[in-house]
Amino acid sequence: MLIISERINGLFTSVGKAIDHRDSKFIQDLAVRQVEHGAQALDVNVGPGREDGPAAMEWLVRTVQEVISVPLSLDTSGPKTMEAGLKAANNKVIMNSTTAEEKRMDRFFPLCKEYDAEIICLCMDERGVPNSADSRAEMAMLMMTKAMEHDIMPDRLYLDPLVLPTSAAQDQGRKVIQAVQMFQTLNDPAPRTVVGLSNVSNGTKQRSLLNRTFLAMLMGAGLTAAICDPEDAELMTTIKAGQVLLNERLYCDDFLRD
Ligand code: THG
């Protein structure tokens, strides 16, 4: 399971302020802490409604790269902000993300090829989020096909079924789990899958409990990566226990130690 930290995101008030003030120390301390807690990649997002998107992304990428060397997941829907991040990045990059909208794919897949990046394919288009596992798989297949037309092989992709808040769309959790299972049948070897885990608990009182329970279910369905908070200790022990139970981590009595 690839653990991608969700925390370098201007959506968090403190991070948004740090980006506004170009507070390198705050961002660097956070990035280091995330990696120390087990993040194997960092999702970097300058936050919504920003006029200085490209400049903020360039600064954010340079700032975190001074202290950590894990891959970055550049989280933006803006092509200019994305390109600023791609230009500034030294290490492996995951573009987060294209959707199934034609104009987004036509802009983002060439960038993906040019910068030799990996890319997350998010199951939504101009009509919104598909309402079933089948329609998510259909949309994932469409993005995979379109990527291949741009000479991007399926092994460069992460398919994201798009997790919705259980407080608002309770019927979607099961459909997302089914979609993760179906995605793996779309190619051989099975395509990788990713979710933005904390979406599921948005607007609820039991965020951590819902996050880790959903993650355990998704791991059982074969999920390969999650954007989540590695500082959530119970989430991290759930991941370790899941890996032991799926025979992906060697069992020993002290399996929580490493
Ligand atoms: N798929 C992909 N990328 C994504 C998502 C996804 N990126 C963004 C998001 N979803 C994953 N990251 C987060 C980050 C923060 C929160 C949820 C998901 C979150 N934040 C608090 C909130 O909104 O309540 C902020 C609280 C605060 O201000 O402290 O929940 O699905 N590919």
Side-chain angles (χ1 to χ4, degrees), residues 23 28 41 49 53 58 72 107 111 114 141 162 172 181 184-185 191 206 209-210 231 243 253-254:
D23 182 348
Q28 290 178 337
E58 182 188 347
L72 300 182
R107 193 79 167 82
L111 282 176
E114 182 183 346
M141 190 70 210
L162 191 47
Q172 292 297 309
Q181 286 167 333
Q184 293 161 83
T185 67
Q206 295 288 348
L209 175 64
L210 291 170
E231 284 189 76
Q243 288 169 333
D253 288 341
D254 282 339

Side-chain angles (χ1 to χ4, degrees), residues 17-30:
K17 279 195 186 135
I19 298 171
D20 288 340
H21 299 128
R22 302 295 194 258
D23 182 348
S24 312
K25 182 166 169 19
F26 180 94
I27 298 291
Q28 290 178 337
D29 287 352
L30 178 58

